[in-house]
Amino acid sequence: MRAVSESGGGRVRVPGGGRRRRGPLTRPYRGFAGVGGDDVHRRQLLLRVRGRSVAWVPPLLLLGVIVLADSNTDAEFRIISWIVLVPGIAAAICGVAGTAVFALFALLTYVVADSAWPYEYQSGLPDFILVAVGGVLATLACTVRIRGERRMLHMRDVAETIRRTVLRPLPPDWGGLDHAAVYLTSDSEARVGGDFYDIQLGLHGTRVLVGDVQGKGLEAVEAAAALLGTFREAGYHEPDLTTVAARLELRMQRHARLRAALRSAVAAPPVPGRPARTRLGSAWAAGPPLPARARRDDGDRFATAVLLDFPDDDHGAVDVVIFGHEPPLVVGPSGVRPLPPGDGLPLGLSELAVNPAPPPVHRVALAPGETLLLTTDGVTEARDGDGVFYPLAAEVARAVAADPRTAEPPRLVAAVRDGTLRHCGGHLADDTTVFAVRRNSAGGANADGNGRLQA
Protein backbone atom coordinates (compact mmCIF):
# COMPACT_ATOMS: atom_id res chain seq x y z
CA MET A 1 0.00 0.00 0.00
CA ARG A 2 2.75 2.45 0.87
CA ALA A 3 6.39 2.71 1.66
CA VAL A 4 7.16 3.28 5.31
CA SER A 5 10.16 4.90 6.92
CA GLU A 6 10.26 5.56 10.62
CA SER A 7 12.79 6.93 13.03
CA GLY A 8 12.60 7.69 16.70
CA GLY A 9 15.54 9.84 17.61
CA GLY A 10 17.64 7.65 15.36
CA ARG A 11 16.59 4.55 17.27
CA VAL A 12 14.06 3.05 14.86
CA ARG A 13 14.51 2.60 11.13
CA VAL A 14 12.15 0.61 8.95
CA PRO A 15 13.68 0.07 5.51
CA GLY A 16 11.29 -2.74 4.59
CA GLY A 17 7.86 -3.91 5.56
CA GLY A 18 5.82 -6.58 7.17
CA ARG A 19 7.45 -7.06 10.59
CA ARG A 20 6.62 -5.72 14.01
CA ARG A 21 9.18 -3.52 15.71
CA ARG A 22 9.62 -3.09 19.43
CA GLY A 23 9.27 0.29 21.05
CA PRO A 24 6.83 3.17 21.07
CA LEU A 25 6.58 3.29 17.27
CA THR A 26 5.52 -0.33 16.93
CA ARG A 27 2.47 -1.02 14.81
CA PRO A 28 1.49 -3.56 12.18
CA TYR A 29 1.78 -2.14 8.70
CA ARG A 30 2.23 -3.20 5.14
CA GLY A 31 5.65 -2.70 3.70
CA PHE A 32 6.63 -1.97 0.13
CA ALA A 33 3.76 -3.31 -1.91
CA GLY A 34 3.91 -4.61 -5.43
CA VAL A 35 6.55 -6.70 -7.12
CA GLY A 36 9.99 -5.55 -6.08
CA GLY A 37 13.20 -6.33 -4.31
CA ASP A 38 11.48 -6.89 -0.96
CA ASP A 39 9.20 -9.51 -2.50
CA VAL A 40 12.24 -11.28 -3.90
CA HIS A 41 13.89 -11.25 -0.48
CA ARG A 42 10.70 -12.46 1.21
CA ARG A 43 10.34 -15.37 -1.20
CA GLN A 44 13.96 -16.35 -0.66
CA LEU A 45 13.39 -16.44 3.10
CA LEU A 46 10.30 -18.62 2.70
CA LEU A 47 12.30 -21.14 0.65
CA ARG A 48 15.06 -21.56 3.23
CA VAL A 49 15.16 -23.79 6.31
CA ARG A 50 17.95 -23.27 8.82
CA GLY A 51 19.84 -21.25 6.26
CA ARG A 52 19.61 -23.92 3.54
CA SER A 53 17.61 -23.59 0.34
CA VAL A 54 14.65 -25.93 -0.05
CA ALA A 55 13.50 -24.55 -3.40
CA TRP A 56 14.18 -27.95 -4.97
CA VAL A 57 11.61 -29.71 -2.79
CA PRO A 58 8.33 -28.63 -4.54
CA PRO A 59 9.36 -29.64 -8.10
CA LEU A 60 10.83 -32.89 -6.80
CA LEU A 61 7.62 -33.72 -4.92
CA LEU A 62 5.59 -32.90 -8.02
CA LEU A 63 7.77 -35.22 -10.07
CA GLY A 64 7.24 -38.05 -7.60
CA VAL A 65 3.49 -37.47 -7.43
CA ILE A 66 3.13 -37.57 -11.22
CA VAL A 67 5.15 -40.79 -11.54
CA LEU A 68 3.25 -42.41 -8.69
CA ALA A 69 -0.12 -41.39 -10.09
CA ASP A 70 0.81 -42.60 -13.56
CA SER A 71 1.85 -46.01 -12.24
CA ASN A 72 -1.43 -46.42 -10.33
CA THR A 73 -3.88 -45.45 -13.07
CA ASP A 74 -5.35 -47.52 -15.87
CA ALA A 75 -3.26 -48.11 -18.95
CA GLU A 76 -5.64 -46.03 -21.04
CA PHE A 77 -5.16 -43.01 -18.74
CA ARG A 78 -1.58 -41.86 -19.08
CA ILE A 79 -0.55 -38.69 -17.19
CA ILE A 80 3.20 -39.08 -17.45
CA SER A 81 3.27 -36.19 -19.95
CA TRP A 82 2.23 -33.91 -17.07
CA ILE A 83 5.85 -34.17 -16.02
CA VAL A 84 6.40 -31.10 -18.21
CA LEU A 85 5.05 -29.10 -15.24
CA VAL A 86 8.11 -29.98 -13.16
CA PRO A 87 10.65 -27.71 -14.92
CA GLY A 88 7.93 -25.04 -15.09
CA ILE A 89 7.57 -25.04 -11.31
CA ALA A 90 11.36 -25.08 -10.91
CA ALA A 91 11.64 -22.05 -13.21
CA ALA A 92 9.52 -20.02 -10.78
CA ILE A 93 11.48 -20.77 -7.59
CA CYS A 94 14.87 -22.27 -8.48
CA GLY A 95 17.95 -20.93 -10.17
CA VAL A 96 18.89 -21.45 -13.80
CA ALA A 97 21.14 -24.42 -13.04
CA GLY A 98 18.49 -26.04 -10.84
CA THR A 99 15.81 -25.56 -13.50
CA ALA A 100 18.07 -27.11 -16.17
CA VAL A 101 18.72 -30.10 -13.91
CA PHE A 102 15.00 -30.62 -13.33
CA ALA A 103 14.33 -30.26 -17.07
CA LEU A 104 16.86 -33.01 -17.83
CA PHE A 105 15.68 -35.15 -14.91
CA ALA A 106 12.06 -34.83 -16.02
CA LEU A 107 12.97 -35.89 -19.55
CA LEU A 108 14.90 -38.96 -18.35
CA THR A 109 12.11 -39.88 -15.95
CA TYR A 110 9.60 -39.63 -18.78
CA VAL A 111 11.64 -42.00 -20.97
CA VAL A 112 12.00 -44.55 -18.16
CA ALA A 113 8.36 -44.37 -17.04
CA ASP A 114 6.94 -44.43 -20.55
CA SER A 115 9.08 -47.37 -21.67
CA ALA A 116 7.96 -49.41 -18.65
CA TRP A 117 4.52 -49.86 -20.23
CA PRO A 118 3.65 -52.10 -23.17
CA TYR A 119 4.17 -50.48 -26.51
CA GLU A 120 0.48 -49.98 -27.22
CA TYR A 121 0.06 -47.94 -24.04
CA GLN A 122 3.10 -45.68 -24.40
CA SER A 123 2.61 -41.94 -24.89
CA GLY A 124 5.35 -41.95 -27.48
CA LEU A 125 7.33 -39.36 -29.38
CA PRO A 126 4.86 -36.42 -29.35
CA ASP A 127 4.81 -36.22 -25.55
CA PHE A 128 8.57 -36.75 -25.43
CA ILE A 129 8.98 -33.68 -27.63
CA LEU A 130 6.51 -31.80 -25.40
CA VAL A 131 8.54 -32.57 -22.27
CA ALA A 132 11.84 -31.70 -23.98
CA VAL A 133 10.60 -28.38 -25.40
CA GLY A 134 8.90 -27.57 -22.09
CA GLY A 135 12.18 -28.06 -20.25
CA VAL A 136 14.06 -25.78 -22.63
CA LEU A 137 11.41 -23.07 -22.40
CA ALA A 138 11.33 -23.34 -18.60
CA THR A 139 15.10 -22.87 -18.44
CA LEU A 140 14.89 -19.80 -20.69
CA ALA A 141 12.04 -18.41 -18.59
CA CYS A 142 14.09 -18.91 -15.45
CA THR A 143 16.97 -17.01 -17.01
CA VAL A 144 14.65 -14.09 -17.76
CA ARG A 145 13.25 -14.22 -14.22
CA ILE A 146 16.69 -14.17 -12.60
CA ARG A 147 17.76 -11.21 -14.72
CA GLY A 148 14.58 -9.37 -13.81
CA GLU A 149 15.08 -10.03 -10.11
CA ARG A 150 18.65 -8.81 -10.28
CA ARG A 151 17.45 -5.67 -12.03
CA MET A 152 14.81 -5.11 -9.36
CA LEU A 153 17.35 -5.62 -6.60
CA HIS A 154 19.62 -3.09 -8.26
CA MET A 155 16.76 -0.60 -8.58
CA ARG A 156 15.91 -1.19 -4.93
CA ASP A 157 19.48 -0.32 -3.98
CA VAL A 158 19.30 2.83 -6.11
CA ALA A 159 15.98 3.82 -4.51
CA GLU A 160 17.39 3.13 -1.05
CA THR A 161 20.38 5.34 -1.80
CA ILE A 162 18.06 8.14 -2.91
CA ARG A 163 15.96 7.70 0.20
CA ARG A 164 18.98 7.88 2.48
CA THR A 165 20.14 11.01 0.64
CA VAL A 166 16.85 12.84 1.09
CA LEU A 167 15.91 11.30 4.45
CA ARG A 168 19.31 10.52 5.89
CA PRO A 169 19.59 8.58 9.15
CA LEU A 170 19.81 10.83 12.19
CA PRO A 171 21.69 9.79 15.34
CA PRO A 172 19.83 9.89 18.65
CA ASP A 173 19.98 13.20 20.52
CA TRP A 174 21.60 14.78 17.46
CA GLY A 175 22.54 18.40 18.09
CA GLY A 176 21.17 18.31 21.60
CA LEU A 177 17.65 17.52 20.36
CA ASP A 178 15.26 14.66 21.02
CA HIS A 179 13.52 13.86 17.77
CA ALA A 180 11.35 11.27 16.06
CA ALA A 181 9.90 11.03 12.56
CA VAL A 182 7.47 8.95 10.55
CA TYR A 183 7.39 9.08 6.77
CA LEU A 184 4.70 7.39 4.66
CA THR A 185 4.54 7.60 0.87
CA SER A 186 1.26 7.51 -1.00
CA ASP A 187 2.95 5.78 -3.97
CA SER A 188 2.91 2.02 -3.37
CA GLU A 189 6.16 1.50 -5.30
CA ALA A 190 8.12 4.53 -4.09
CA ARG A 191 10.47 4.75 -1.14
CA VAL A 192 10.67 8.52 -1.09
CA GLY A 193 8.58 11.41 -2.34
CA GLY A 194 8.45 15.18 -2.09
CA ASP A 195 8.39 15.42 1.71
CA PHE A 196 11.71 16.10 3.43
CA TYR A 197 13.14 16.76 6.86
CA ASP A 198 16.58 17.09 8.40
CA ILE A 199 18.50 18.28 11.45
CA GLN A 200 21.73 20.15 10.78
CA LEU A 201 24.26 20.53 13.55
CA GLY A 202 26.52 23.50 12.79
CA LEU A 203 28.89 26.15 14.00
CA HIS A 204 26.12 28.37 15.36
CA GLY A 205 23.68 25.86 16.84
CA THR A 206 21.22 23.33 15.54
CA ARG A 207 18.76 23.98 12.71
CA VAL A 208 15.76 21.90 11.63
CA LEU A 209 14.00 21.89 8.25
CA VAL A 210 10.71 20.17 7.45
CA GLY A 211 8.91 20.71 4.17
CA ASP A 212 6.86 19.45 1.27
CA VAL A 213 7.58 19.98 -2.43
CA GLN A 214 4.52 20.61 -4.56
CA GLY A 215 3.72 17.69 -6.82
CA LYS A 216 4.87 14.10 -6.87
CA GLY A 217 7.32 11.90 -8.72
CA LEU A 218 11.02 12.12 -9.36
CA GLU A 219 10.96 15.88 -10.03
CA ALA A 220 9.62 16.48 -6.52
CA VAL A 221 12.36 14.25 -5.10
CA GLU A 222 14.95 16.19 -7.11
CA ALA A 223 13.70 19.51 -5.74
CA ALA A 224 13.67 18.16 -2.18
CA ALA A 225 17.26 16.95 -2.56
CA ALA A 226 18.33 20.37 -3.87
CA LEU A 227 16.77 22.17 -0.90
CA LEU A 228 18.27 19.74 1.61
CA GLY A 229 21.72 20.15 0.10
CA THR A 230 21.50 23.91 0.49
CA PHE A 231 20.11 23.63 4.01
CA ARG A 232 22.91 21.34 5.15
CA GLU A 233 25.55 23.79 3.95
CA ALA A 234 23.87 27.04 4.94
CA GLY A 235 22.62 25.65 8.23
CA TYR A 236 26.16 24.63 9.13
CA HIS A 237 27.96 27.87 8.19
CA GLU A 238 25.53 30.78 8.42
CA PRO A 239 25.16 32.53 11.79
CA ASP A 240 21.85 34.22 10.89
CA LEU A 241 18.66 32.21 10.28
CA THR A 242 17.42 34.88 7.86
CA THR A 243 20.41 34.18 5.63
CA VAL A 244 19.62 30.46 5.69
CA ALA A 245 16.05 31.26 4.65
CA ALA A 246 17.27 33.48 1.81
CA ARG A 247 19.63 30.75 0.59
CA LEU A 248 16.76 28.26 0.48
CA GLU A 249 14.58 30.64 -1.54
CA LEU A 250 17.40 31.32 -3.98
CA ARG A 251 18.10 27.61 -4.38
CA MET A 252 14.49 26.86 -5.20
CA GLN A 253 14.43 29.63 -7.81
CA ARG A 254 17.64 28.36 -9.39
CA HIS A 255 16.29 24.83 -9.45
CA ALA A 256 13.04 25.92 -11.11
CA ARG A 257 14.99 28.00 -13.63
CA LEU A 258 17.19 25.05 -14.54
CA ARG A 259 14.21 22.71 -14.91
CA ALA A 260 12.40 25.22 -17.11
CA ALA A 261 15.51 25.68 -19.25
CA LEU A 262 15.88 21.94 -19.66
CA ARG A 263 12.26 21.61 -20.71
CA SER A 264 12.62 24.46 -23.18
CA ALA A 265 15.81 22.97 -24.62
CA VAL A 266 14.06 19.64 -25.18
CA ALA A 267 10.85 21.12 -26.58
CA ALA A 268 12.32 23.84 -28.82
CA PRO A 269 13.64 22.93 -32.31
CA PRO A 270 17.42 23.12 -32.74
CA VAL A 271 18.89 26.40 -33.92
CA PRO A 272 21.31 25.97 -36.84
CA GLY A 273 24.86 26.88 -35.95
CA ARG A 274 24.18 27.24 -32.21
CA PRO A 275 25.25 24.52 -29.77
CA ALA A 276 22.50 23.20 -27.51
CA ARG A 277 24.49 24.00 -24.36
CA THR A 278 24.64 27.68 -25.32
CA ARG A 279 20.87 27.88 -25.57
CA LEU A 280 20.50 26.03 -22.29
CA GLY A 281 23.05 28.11 -20.44
CA SER A 282 21.72 31.46 -21.61
CA ALA A 283 18.23 30.55 -20.42
CA TRP A 284 19.11 30.54 -16.75
CA ALA A 285 22.65 31.61 -15.98
CA ALA A 286 21.96 35.31 -16.45
CA GLY A 287 19.05 35.12 -14.01
CA PRO A 288 16.23 37.04 -15.79
CA PRO A 289 12.63 36.32 -14.79
CA LEU A 290 11.33 33.14 -16.38
CA PRO A 291 8.87 33.48 -19.26
CA ALA A 292 5.30 32.62 -18.32
CA ARG A 293 5.27 29.66 -20.71
CA ALA A 294 8.46 28.22 -19.19
CA ARG A 295 7.05 28.55 -15.68
CA ARG A 296 3.86 26.78 -16.73
CA ASP A 297 5.88 24.03 -18.39
CA ASP A 298 7.75 23.50 -15.15
CA GLY A 299 4.48 23.29 -13.22
CA ASP A 300 5.22 26.38 -11.07
CA ARG A 301 6.97 24.07 -8.67
CA PHE A 302 7.35 25.36 -5.12
CA ALA A 303 7.85 24.00 -1.63
CA THR A 304 6.27 24.79 1.70
CA ALA A 305 8.61 24.49 4.67
CA VAL A 306 9.27 25.30 8.30
CA LEU A 307 12.77 26.33 9.35
CA LEU A 308 13.70 26.12 13.03
CA ASP A 309 16.69 27.33 15.00
CA PHE A 310 17.32 26.46 18.63
CA PRO A 311 19.29 29.52 19.77
CA ASP A 312 22.29 29.27 22.04
CA ASP A 313 21.39 32.42 23.99
CA ASP A 314 17.91 31.26 25.02
CA HIS A 315 17.30 27.60 25.88
CA GLY A 316 13.63 28.34 26.52
CA ALA A 317 12.82 29.50 23.00
CA VAL A 318 12.96 28.52 19.34
CA ASP A 319 13.28 30.74 16.25
CA VAL A 320 10.81 29.89 13.49
CA VAL A 321 10.53 30.82 9.80
CA ILE A 322 7.46 29.55 7.97
CA PHE A 323 7.33 29.35 4.17
CA GLY A 324 3.62 28.90 3.47
CA HIS A 325 3.53 25.76 5.59
CA GLU A 326 1.06 24.64 8.22
CA PRO A 327 2.20 26.20 11.52
CA PRO A 328 3.79 23.74 13.96
CA LEU A 329 1.98 22.70 17.10
CA VAL A 330 3.57 23.09 20.51
CA VAL A 331 2.66 19.97 22.49
CA GLY A 332 3.31 19.66 26.20
CA PRO A 333 1.87 18.06 29.31
CA SER A 334 -0.24 21.18 29.81
CA GLY A 335 -1.90 21.02 26.39
CA VAL A 336 -1.54 21.94 22.73
CA ARG A 337 -1.20 25.35 21.10
CA PRO A 338 -0.46 26.29 17.49
CA LEU A 339 2.28 28.72 16.56
CA PRO A 340 1.22 31.93 14.78
CA PRO A 341 0.80 31.34 11.03
CA GLY A 342 3.75 32.54 9.02
CA ASP A 343 3.35 35.35 6.50
CA GLY A 344 5.98 34.03 4.09
CA LEU A 345 5.23 32.60 0.67
CA PRO A 346 6.31 29.06 -0.23
CA LEU A 347 9.87 28.63 -1.41
CA GLY A 348 10.22 29.50 -5.08
CA LEU A 349 7.37 32.02 -5.20
CA SER A 350 9.05 35.15 -3.81
CA GLU A 351 8.68 36.84 -7.21
CA LEU A 352 4.95 37.05 -6.49
CA ALA A 353 5.46 39.01 -3.26
CA VAL A 354 5.33 42.80 -3.07
CA ASN A 355 8.36 42.65 -0.79
CA PRO A 356 10.62 39.78 -1.94
CA ALA A 357 12.60 39.82 1.32
CA PRO A 358 12.78 36.58 3.32
CA PRO A 359 9.92 36.04 5.80
CA PRO A 360 10.57 37.31 9.31
CA VAL A 361 12.02 35.18 12.08
CA HIS A 362 9.68 34.69 15.04
CA ARG A 363 11.00 33.69 18.44
CA VAL A 364 8.60 31.47 20.38
CA ALA A 365 8.93 30.61 24.06
CA LEU A 366 8.97 26.92 24.96
CA ALA A 367 8.34 25.54 28.42
CA PRO A 368 10.38 22.55 29.66
CA GLY A 369 9.00 19.33 28.22
CA GLU A 370 7.21 20.97 25.29
CA THR A 371 7.64 19.42 21.87
CA LEU A 372 7.28 20.96 18.42
CA LEU A 373 5.09 18.86 16.12
CA LEU A 374 5.50 19.44 12.39
CA THR A 375 3.44 17.64 9.75
CA THR A 376 2.93 17.84 6.01
CA ASP A 377 -0.43 18.04 4.27
CA GLY A 378 -0.69 14.27 4.13
CA VAL A 379 -1.83 14.59 7.76
CA THR A 380 -3.87 17.78 7.66
CA GLU A 381 -5.62 16.84 4.41
CA ALA A 382 -6.35 13.22 5.30
CA ARG A 383 -10.11 12.61 4.88
CA ASP A 384 -12.45 9.97 6.18
CA GLY A 385 -15.27 8.36 4.22
CA ASP A 386 -17.44 11.44 4.65
CA GLY A 387 -14.73 13.81 3.38
CA VAL A 388 -13.97 15.25 6.83
CA PHE A 389 -10.37 16.37 7.39
CA TYR A 390 -8.33 14.84 10.18
CA PRO A 391 -8.63 17.07 13.29
CA LEU A 392 -4.95 17.04 14.18
CA ALA A 393 -4.89 19.57 17.03
CA ALA A 394 -7.99 18.15 18.70
CA GLU A 395 -6.75 14.56 18.47
CA VAL A 396 -3.32 15.45 19.84
CA ALA A 397 -4.88 17.43 22.69
CA ARG A 398 -7.10 14.47 23.54
CA ALA A 399 -4.15 12.08 23.52
CA VAL A 400 -2.02 14.36 25.73
CA ALA A 401 -4.90 14.80 28.18
CA ALA A 402 -5.24 11.02 28.46
CA ASP A 403 -1.48 10.48 28.84
CA PRO A 404 0.93 13.42 29.30
CA ARG A 405 3.80 11.22 28.15
CA THR A 406 2.34 11.47 24.64
CA ALA A 407 4.24 14.76 24.36
CA GLU A 408 7.49 12.78 24.08
CA PRO A 409 8.61 12.80 20.42
CA PRO A 410 8.46 9.01 19.75
CA ARG A 411 5.04 8.65 21.36
CA LEU A 412 3.76 11.80 19.68
CA VAL A 413 4.64 10.81 16.11
CA ALA A 414 3.25 7.32 16.74
CA ALA A 415 -0.05 8.76 17.98
CA VAL A 416 -0.37 11.10 14.98
CA ARG A 417 0.59 8.38 12.52
CA ASP A 418 -1.93 5.89 13.90
CA GLY A 419 -4.66 8.53 14.14
CA THR A 420 -4.10 9.63 10.54
CA LEU A 421 -4.22 6.08 9.20
CA ARG A 422 -7.35 5.30 11.18
CA HIS A 423 -9.05 8.47 9.98
CA CYS A 424 -8.40 7.86 6.28
CA GLY A 425 -8.78 4.08 6.45
CA GLY A 426 -5.17 3.55 5.42
CA HIS A 427 -5.63 5.29 2.05
CA LEU A 428 -3.25 8.24 1.95
CA ALA A 429 -3.83 10.77 -0.81
CA ASP A 430 -0.41 12.39 -0.40
CA ASP A 431 3.00 11.74 1.08
CA THR A 432 2.84 12.06 4.84
CA THR A 433 5.52 13.20 7.27
CA VAL A 434 5.19 13.53 11.02
CA PHE A 435 8.19 15.10 12.75
CA ALA A 436 8.55 15.92 16.46
CA VAL A 437 11.52 17.64 18.09
CA ARG A 438 12.42 19.27 21.38
CA ARG A 439 15.56 20.39 23.13
CA ASN A 440 17.38 17.82 25.21
CA SER A 441 18.69 19.47 28.35
CA ALA A 442 21.51 16.92 28.54
CA GLY A 443 22.96 17.99 25.19
CA GLY A 444 23.81 15.63 22.36
CA ALA A 445 26.62 13.61 20.91
CA ASN A 446 29.28 15.65 19.10
CA ALA A 447 27.80 18.84 20.55
CA ASP A 448 28.26 21.04 23.53
CA GLY A 449 25.38 21.90 25.85
CA ASN A 450 24.05 24.44 23.35
CA GLY A 451 24.06 22.04 20.42
CA ARG A 452 27.04 23.66 18.71
CA LEU A 453 29.40 21.42 16.80
CA GLN A 454 32.53 20.79 18.81
CA ALA A 455 35.81 21.53 17.11
Side-chain angles (χ1 to χ4, degrees), residues 177-180 199 208 308 310 370-374 409 435-439:
L177 303 178
D178 286 334
H179 58 88
I199 298 176
V208 176
L308 306 177
F310 291 85
E370 286 189 326
T371 300
L372 286 171
L373 174 64
L374 302 93
F435 188 89
V437 61
R438 68 181 180 185
R439 193 187 293 270

Side-chain angles (χ1 to χ4, degrees), residues 162-163 165-168 170 181-185 191-199 208-215 219-232 248-249 251-252 301-307 323 325 346-348 374-377 430-435:
I162 296 175
R163 187 189 70 83
T165 299
V166 178
L167 303 176
R168 63 180 180 177
L170 297 173
V182 171
Y183 177 76
L184 308 172
T185 64
R191 290 173 177 262
V192 66
D195 289 4
F196 56 91
Y197 59 85
D198 199 10
I199 298 176
V208 176
L209 180 67
V210 178
D212 179 11
V213 176
Q214 172 265 340
E219 290 187 357
V221 177
E222 183 182 3
L227 287 173
L228 284 173
T230 298
F231 168 71
R232 289 162 185 169
L248 290 172
E249 170 63 27
R251 184 66 181 92
M252 193 64 191
R301 192 169 301 279
F302 59 86
T304 63
V306 176
L307 179 62
F323 299 94
H325 199 84
L347 292 168
L374 302 93
T375 63
T376 58
D377 53 11
D430 200 355
D431 296 340
T432 301
T433 296
V434 185
F435 188 89

Side-chain angles (χ1 to χ4, degrees), residues 27-79:
R27 72 171 177 88
Y29 60 86
R30 299 178 185 176
F32 303 109
V35 179
D38 293 279
D39 294 313
V40 173
H41 180 66
R42 188 179 301 111
R43 182 171 66 249
Q44 291 173 346
L45 292 178
L46 291 175
L47 296 176
R48 301 185 75 86
V49 175
R50 295 181 179 179
R52 296 180 178 274
S53 175
V54 294
W56 53 272
V57 173
L60 185 62
L61 288 177
L62 179 61
L63 179 65
V65 169
I66 292 175
V67 173
L68 182 63
D70 184 73
S71 62
N72 287 277
T73 54
D74 295 336
E76 292 83 1
F77 186 72
R78 301 303 312 278
I79 64 171

Side-chain angles (χ1 to χ4, degrees), residues 17-250:
R19 296 192 298 271
R20 279 186 177 272
R21 298 286 175 134
R22 296 187 297 273
L25 295 186
T26 298
R27 72 171 177 88
Y29 60 86
R30 299 178 185 176
F32 303 109
V35 179
D38 293 279
D39 294 313
V40 173
H41 180 66
R42 188 179 301 111
R43 182 171 66 249
Q44 291 173 346
L45 292 178
L46 291 175
L47 296 176
R48 301 185 75 86
V49 175
R50 295 181 179 179
R52 296 180 178 274
S53 175
V54 294
W56 53 272
V57 173
L60 185 62
L61 288 177
L62 179 61
L63 179 65
V65 169
I66 292 175
V67 173
L68 182 63
D70 184 73
S71 62
N72 287 277
T73 54
D74 295 336
E76 292 83 1
F77 186 72
R78 301 303 312 278
I79 64 171
I80 190 62
S81 58
W82 292 9
I83 207 170
V84 71
L85 298 175
V86 172
I89 297 298
I93 58 178
C94 297
V96 176
T99 301
V101 170
F102 272 109
L104 181 60
F105 192 31
L107 186 63
L108 295 177
T109 303
Y110 171 83
V111 173
V112 173
D114 195 48
S115 61
W117 289 88
Y119 176 77
E120 60 271 20
Y121 297 121
Q122 292 179 1
S123 298
L125 181 61
D127 286 352
F128 174 85
I129 296 176
L130 173 65
V131 174
V133 173
V136 173
L137 293 178
T139 303
L140 294 176
C142 182
T143 302
V144 174
R145 176 183 66 83
I146 294 297
R147 289 179 178 176
E149 289 182 353
R150 288 175 178 172
R151 187 178 300 111
M152 284 187 291
L153 290 173
H154 175 69
M155 294 305 297
R156 182 193 66 175
D157 293 339
V158 171
E160 180 66 15
T161 301
I162 296 175
R163 187 189 70 83
R164 291 175 65 87
T165 299
V166 178
L167 303 176
R168 63 180 180 177
L170 297 173
D173 306 327
W174 184 237
L177 303 178
D178 286 334
H179 58 88
V182 171
Y183 177 76
L184 308 172
T185 64
S186 59
D187 188 344
S188 62
E189 296 187 10
R191 290 173 177 262
V192 66
D195 289 4
F196 56 91
Y197 59 85
D198 199 10
I199 298 176
Q200 181 57 54
L201 174 62
L203 301 176
H204 306 281
T206 302
R207 276 74 184 262
V208 176
L209 180 67
V210 178
D212 179 11
V213 176
Q214 172 265 340
K216 299 180 181 179
L218 294 179
E219 290 187 357
V221 177
E222 183 182 3
L227 287 173
L228 284 173
T230 298
F231 168 71
R232 289 162 185 169
E233 287 301 311
Y236 177 86
H237 291 286
E238 299 295 343
D240 187 5
L241 193 64
T242 303
T243 305
V244 179
R247 292 275 299 275
L248 290 172
E249 170 63 27
L250 179 60

Side-chain angles (χ1 to χ4, degrees), residues 335-389:
V336 178
R337 73 178 192 275
L339 294 184
D343 49 5
L345 291 175
L347 292 168
L349 299 183
S350 64
E351 294 177 354
L352 303 179
V354 177
N355 180 13
V361 178
H362 298 285
R363 176 159 294 192
V364 179
L366 295 178
E370 286 189 326
T371 300
L372 286 171
L373 174 64
L374 302 93
T375 63
T376 58
D377 53 11
V379 174
T380 55
E381 296 182 3
R383 299 171 183 257
D384 60 10
D386 298 326
V388 178
F389 290 110

